[in-house]
Short mmCIF file of all heavy atoms in Angstrom, two decimals:
data_model
loop_
_atom_site.label_atom_id
_atom_site.label_comp_id
_atom_site.label_asym_id
_atom_site.label_seq_id
_atom_site.Cartn_x
_atom_site.Cartn_y
_atom_site.Cartn_z
N THR A 1 3.47 -11.19 -11.53
CA THR A 1 2.23 -10.96 -10.79
C THR A 1 2.44 -11.21 -9.29
O THR A 1 1.87 -10.51 -8.45
CB THR A 1 1.09 -11.85 -11.31
OG1 THR A 1 1.44 -13.23 -11.18
CG2 THR A 1 0.79 -11.54 -12.77
N PHE A 2 3.27 -12.20 -8.97
CA PHE A 2 3.60 -12.44 -7.56
C PHE A 2 4.28 -11.21 -6.96
O PHE A 2 3.93 -10.77 -5.85
CB PHE A 2 4.53 -13.66 -7.46
CG PHE A 2 5.19 -13.82 -6.12
CD1 PHE A 2 4.52 -14.46 -5.09
CD2 PHE A 2 6.46 -13.32 -5.89
CE1 PHE A 2 5.12 -14.60 -3.84
CE2 PHE A 2 7.07 -13.46 -4.65
CZ PHE A 2 6.39 -14.11 -3.62
N THR A 3 5.23 -10.65 -7.67
CA THR A 3 5.98 -9.49 -7.17
C THR A 3 5.08 -8.27 -7.04
O THR A 3 5.16 -7.52 -6.05
CB THR A 3 7.15 -9.18 -8.11
OG1 THR A 3 7.95 -10.35 -8.28
CG2 THR A 3 8.01 -8.05 -7.55
N ILE A 4 4.20 -8.08 -8.01
CA ILE A 4 3.28 -6.95 -7.99
C ILE A 4 2.35 -7.03 -6.78
O ILE A 4 2.17 -6.05 -6.04
CB ILE A 4 2.45 -6.93 -9.30
CG1 ILE A 4 3.30 -6.43 -10.47
CG2 ILE A 4 1.20 -6.08 -9.15
CD1 ILE A 4 3.53 -4.94 -10.48
N VAL A 5 1.73 -8.18 -6.58
CA VAL A 5 0.74 -8.32 -5.50
C VAL A 5 1.42 -8.29 -4.13
O VAL A 5 0.91 -7.69 -3.18
CB VAL A 5 -0.09 -9.60 -5.68
CG1 VAL A 5 -1.02 -9.82 -4.49
CG2 VAL A 5 -0.90 -9.52 -6.96
N THR A 6 2.59 -8.92 -4.02
CA THR A 6 3.32 -8.86 -2.75
C THR A 6 3.69 -7.42 -2.41
O THR A 6 3.56 -6.99 -1.25
CB THR A 6 4.59 -9.72 -2.80
OG1 THR A 6 4.23 -11.08 -3.10
CG2 THR A 6 5.33 -9.69 -1.47
N SER A 7 4.10 -6.66 -3.41
CA SER A 7 4.43 -5.24 -3.18
C SER A 7 3.19 -4.46 -2.75
O SER A 7 3.26 -3.60 -1.87
CB SER A 7 5.01 -4.63 -4.46
OG SER A 7 6.24 -5.23 -4.80
N GLU A 8 2.06 -4.76 -3.38
CA GLU A 8 0.82 -4.06 -3.02
C GLU A 8 0.44 -4.33 -1.56
O GLU A 8 0.04 -3.42 -0.83
CB GLU A 8 -0.32 -4.50 -3.94
CG GLU A 8 -1.65 -3.81 -3.63
CD GLU A 8 -2.77 -4.25 -4.55
OE1 GLU A 8 -2.61 -5.28 -5.24
OE2 GLU A 8 -3.80 -3.55 -4.58
N MET A 9 0.57 -5.59 -1.14
CA MET A 9 0.12 -5.99 0.20
C MET A 9 1.21 -5.84 1.26
O MET A 9 0.98 -6.15 2.42
CB MET A 9 -0.34 -7.46 0.15
CG MET A 9 -1.41 -7.76 -0.87
SD MET A 9 -2.93 -6.82 -0.59
CE MET A 9 -3.50 -7.56 0.93
N LEU A 10 2.37 -5.35 0.88
CA LEU A 10 3.52 -5.29 1.79
C LEU A 10 3.21 -4.61 3.12
O LEU A 10 3.62 -5.10 4.18
CB LEU A 10 4.68 -4.59 1.08
CG LEU A 10 6.09 -4.77 1.65
CD1 LEU A 10 6.45 -6.25 1.74
CD2 LEU A 10 7.10 -4.03 0.78
N PRO A 11 2.49 -3.48 3.15
CA PRO A 11 2.27 -2.81 4.43
C PRO A 11 1.37 -3.56 5.40
O PRO A 11 1.31 -3.19 6.58
CB PRO A 11 1.61 -1.48 4.02
CG PRO A 11 1.99 -1.27 2.60
CD PRO A 11 2.05 -2.65 2.01
N VAL A 12 0.68 -4.61 4.95
CA VAL A 12 -0.28 -5.29 5.82
C VAL A 12 0.37 -5.75 7.11
O VAL A 12 -0.15 -5.51 8.21
CB VAL A 12 -0.93 -6.49 5.09
CG1 VAL A 12 -1.71 -7.36 6.07
CG2 VAL A 12 -1.84 -6.01 3.98
N GLY A 13 1.51 -6.42 7.01
CA GLY A 13 2.18 -6.91 8.21
C GLY A 13 3.17 -5.93 8.81
O GLY A 13 3.80 -6.23 9.83
N LEU A 14 3.34 -4.76 8.16
CA LEU A 14 4.37 -3.80 8.61
C LEU A 14 3.78 -2.48 9.06
O LEU A 14 4.52 -1.57 9.44
CB LEU A 14 5.35 -3.52 7.44
CG LEU A 14 5.84 -4.70 6.61
CD1 LEU A 14 6.74 -4.22 5.49
CD2 LEU A 14 6.60 -5.69 7.50
N LEU A 15 2.45 -2.37 9.02
CA LEU A 15 1.81 -1.07 9.17
C LEU A 15 2.15 -0.39 10.49
O LEU A 15 2.50 0.80 10.52
CB LEU A 15 0.29 -1.24 9.03
CG LEU A 15 -0.51 0.06 8.87
CD1 LEU A 15 -1.65 -0.14 7.88
CD2 LEU A 15 -1.09 0.50 10.22
N THR A 16 2.08 -1.11 11.60
CA THR A 16 2.34 -0.52 12.90
C THR A 16 3.78 0.01 13.00
O THR A 16 4.03 1.11 13.51
CB THR A 16 2.09 -1.54 14.03
OG1 THR A 16 0.75 -2.03 13.91
CG2 THR A 16 2.27 -0.90 15.39
N SER A 17 4.73 -0.77 12.51
CA SER A 17 6.13 -0.36 12.56
C SER A 17 6.38 0.87 11.69
O SER A 17 7.10 1.79 12.09
CB SER A 17 7.03 -1.51 12.10
OG SER A 17 6.88 -2.64 12.92
N ILE A 18 5.79 0.87 10.50
CA ILE A 18 5.97 2.03 9.61
C ILE A 18 5.37 3.28 10.23
O ILE A 18 5.97 4.36 10.20
CB ILE A 18 5.33 1.74 8.23
CG1 ILE A 18 6.05 0.59 7.54
CG2 ILE A 18 5.38 3.00 7.36
CD1 ILE A 18 5.39 0.15 6.24
N ALA A 19 4.17 3.14 10.80
CA ALA A 19 3.51 4.29 11.42
C ALA A 19 4.36 4.87 12.55
O ALA A 19 4.50 6.10 12.67
CB ALA A 19 2.14 3.88 11.94
N ALA A 20 4.94 4.00 13.37
CA ALA A 20 5.77 4.47 14.48
C ALA A 20 7.02 5.17 13.98
O ALA A 20 7.41 6.23 14.51
CB ALA A 20 6.14 3.29 15.38
N THR A 21 7.65 4.62 12.95
CA THR A 21 8.89 5.21 12.43
C THR A 21 8.64 6.56 11.78
O THR A 21 9.42 7.51 11.96
CB THR A 21 9.54 4.26 11.42
OG1 THR A 21 9.82 3.00 12.02
CG2 THR A 21 10.83 4.86 10.87
N LEU A 22 7.57 6.67 11.01
CA LEU A 22 7.30 7.89 10.25
C LEU A 22 6.41 8.88 11.01
O LEU A 22 6.09 9.95 10.49
CB LEU A 22 6.66 7.53 8.90
CG LEU A 22 7.51 6.63 8.00
CD1 LEU A 22 6.81 6.39 6.68
CD2 LEU A 22 8.89 7.24 7.76
N GLY A 23 6.01 8.53 12.21
CA GLY A 23 5.30 9.47 13.06
C GLY A 23 3.87 9.77 12.65
O GLY A 23 3.44 10.93 12.72
N VAL A 24 3.12 8.76 12.23
CA VAL A 24 1.72 8.95 11.87
C VAL A 24 0.88 7.91 12.61
O VAL A 24 1.40 6.93 13.14
CB VAL A 24 1.48 8.83 10.34
CG1 VAL A 24 2.23 9.92 9.60
CG2 VAL A 24 1.90 7.44 9.84
N SER A 25 -0.43 8.14 12.63
CA SER A 25 -1.33 7.18 13.27
C SER A 25 -1.50 5.95 12.40
O SER A 25 -1.22 5.97 11.20
CB SER A 25 -2.69 7.82 13.52
OG SER A 25 -3.35 8.07 12.27
N ASP A 26 -2.00 4.87 13.00
CA ASP A 26 -2.24 3.66 12.24
C ASP A 26 -3.28 3.89 11.15
O ASP A 26 -3.18 3.36 10.04
CB ASP A 26 -2.72 2.53 13.16
CG ASP A 26 -1.61 2.00 14.07
OD1 ASP A 26 -0.43 2.34 13.80
OD2 ASP A 26 -1.91 1.27 15.02
N GLY A 27 -4.29 4.71 11.46
CA GLY A 27 -5.32 5.00 10.47
C GLY A 27 -4.75 5.74 9.27
O GLY A 27 -5.08 5.43 8.12
N THR A 28 -3.89 6.72 9.53
CA THR A 28 -3.25 7.45 8.43
C THR A 28 -2.32 6.54 7.64
O THR A 28 -2.28 6.59 6.40
CB THR A 28 -2.47 8.66 8.98
OG1 THR A 28 -3.36 9.52 9.67
CG2 THR A 28 -1.80 9.43 7.84
N ALA A 29 -1.61 5.69 8.33
CA ALA A 29 -0.72 4.75 7.66
C ALA A 29 -1.49 3.80 6.75
O ALA A 29 -0.95 3.30 5.75
CB ALA A 29 0.08 3.95 8.69
N GLY A 30 -2.76 3.56 7.07
CA GLY A 30 -3.58 2.69 6.24
C GLY A 30 -3.76 3.18 4.81
O GLY A 30 -4.10 2.41 3.91
N LEU A 31 -3.50 4.47 4.58
CA LEU A 31 -3.56 4.99 3.21
C LEU A 31 -2.53 4.33 2.31
O LEU A 31 -2.66 4.36 1.09
CB LEU A 31 -3.34 6.51 3.22
CG LEU A 31 -4.46 7.36 3.84
CD1 LEU A 31 -4.04 8.82 3.92
CD2 LEU A 31 -5.75 7.22 3.03
N MET A 32 -1.49 3.73 2.89
CA MET A 32 -0.51 3.01 2.09
C MET A 32 -1.13 1.81 1.37
O MET A 32 -0.58 1.32 0.39
CB MET A 32 0.65 2.54 2.97
CG MET A 32 1.53 3.64 3.51
SD MET A 32 2.96 2.98 4.39
CE MET A 32 2.17 2.12 5.76
N MET A 33 -2.26 1.33 1.88
CA MET A 33 -2.97 0.23 1.24
C MET A 33 -4.04 0.72 0.28
O MET A 33 -4.18 0.22 -0.83
CB MET A 33 -3.59 -0.69 2.29
CG MET A 33 -2.60 -1.63 2.94
SD MET A 33 -1.81 -2.75 1.77
CE MET A 33 -3.24 -3.62 1.13
N SER A 34 -4.81 1.71 0.71
CA SER A 34 -5.93 2.16 -0.13
C SER A 34 -5.47 2.96 -1.34
O SER A 34 -6.03 2.84 -2.43
CB SER A 34 -6.92 2.99 0.71
OG SER A 34 -6.26 4.09 1.33
N ALA A 35 -4.41 3.77 -1.19
CA ALA A 35 -3.95 4.61 -2.30
C ALA A 35 -3.51 3.79 -3.52
O ALA A 35 -3.94 4.08 -4.64
CB ALA A 35 -2.83 5.53 -1.83
N PRO A 36 -2.65 2.77 -3.36
CA PRO A 36 -2.26 1.99 -4.54
C PRO A 36 -3.44 1.33 -5.26
O PRO A 36 -3.47 1.28 -6.49
CB PRO A 36 -1.30 0.94 -3.98
CG PRO A 36 -0.80 1.50 -2.71
CD PRO A 36 -1.93 2.30 -2.16
N GLY A 37 -4.43 0.83 -4.49
CA GLY A 37 -5.57 0.19 -5.11
C GLY A 37 -6.38 1.14 -5.96
O GLY A 37 -6.77 0.83 -7.10
N LEU A 38 -6.63 2.35 -5.44
CA LEU A 38 -7.40 3.33 -6.20
C LEU A 38 -6.61 3.83 -7.41
O LEU A 38 -7.18 4.02 -8.49
CB LEU A 38 -7.79 4.49 -5.28
CG LEU A 38 -8.75 4.13 -4.14
CD1 LEU A 38 -8.98 5.33 -3.23
CD2 LEU A 38 -10.08 3.63 -4.71
N VAL A 39 -5.31 4.04 -7.23
CA VAL A 39 -4.48 4.47 -8.36
C VAL A 39 -4.44 3.38 -9.44
O VAL A 39 -4.51 3.67 -10.64
CB VAL A 39 -3.05 4.82 -7.88
CG1 VAL A 39 -2.13 5.05 -9.08
CG2 VAL A 39 -3.09 6.05 -7.00
N ALA A 40 -4.33 2.13 -9.01
CA ALA A 40 -4.32 1.01 -9.97
C ALA A 40 -5.61 0.95 -10.76
O ALA A 40 -5.60 0.65 -11.97
CB ALA A 40 -4.10 -0.31 -9.22
N ALA A 41 -6.74 1.23 -10.11
CA ALA A 41 -8.03 1.20 -10.80
C ALA A 41 -8.09 2.23 -11.93
O ALA A 41 -8.72 1.99 -12.97
CB ALA A 41 -9.16 1.45 -9.80
N VAL A 42 -7.43 3.37 -11.73
CA VAL A 42 -7.42 4.42 -12.76
C VAL A 42 -6.33 4.16 -13.80
O VAL A 42 -6.54 4.32 -15.01
CB VAL A 42 -7.21 5.80 -12.11
CG1 VAL A 42 -7.08 6.88 -13.17
CG2 VAL A 42 -8.36 6.12 -11.17
N SER A 43 -5.16 3.75 -13.33
CA SER A 43 -4.02 3.61 -14.25
C SER A 43 -4.21 2.47 -15.25
O SER A 43 -3.69 2.53 -16.37
CB SER A 43 -2.73 3.38 -13.46
OG SER A 43 -2.74 2.14 -12.78
N ALA A 44 -4.94 1.42 -14.88
CA ALA A 44 -5.11 0.29 -15.79
C ALA A 44 -5.75 0.70 -17.13
O ALA A 44 -5.15 0.50 -18.19
CB ALA A 44 -5.91 -0.83 -15.12
N PRO A 45 -6.94 1.31 -17.14
CA PRO A 45 -7.51 1.72 -18.43
C PRO A 45 -6.75 2.86 -19.09
O PRO A 45 -6.66 2.91 -20.32
CB PRO A 45 -8.95 2.12 -18.09
CG PRO A 45 -8.95 2.41 -16.62
CD PRO A 45 -7.90 1.52 -16.04
N VAL A 46 -6.20 3.77 -18.28
CA VAL A 46 -5.46 4.90 -18.87
C VAL A 46 -4.23 4.39 -19.62
O VAL A 46 -3.95 4.81 -20.76
CB VAL A 46 -5.05 5.91 -17.77
CG1 VAL A 46 -4.05 6.92 -18.32
CG2 VAL A 46 -6.28 6.62 -17.24
N LEU A 47 -3.47 3.49 -19.01
CA LEU A 47 -2.29 2.94 -19.68
C LEU A 47 -2.66 2.08 -20.87
O LEU A 47 -1.95 2.05 -21.88
CB LEU A 47 -1.46 2.13 -18.69
CG LEU A 47 -0.69 2.94 -17.64
CD1 LEU A 47 -0.07 2.03 -16.59
CD2 LEU A 47 0.40 3.78 -18.32
#
């Protein structure tokens, strides 16, 4: 559970650097946080 949650929250402290490297805005890079949460909400009951 530690590994899972750390992986989920990983972009929090790295978002600006990732956005600069991959050439996207900070707002677009924020999808790295929202997408896993929404996918997790669906995948839990489906699995």
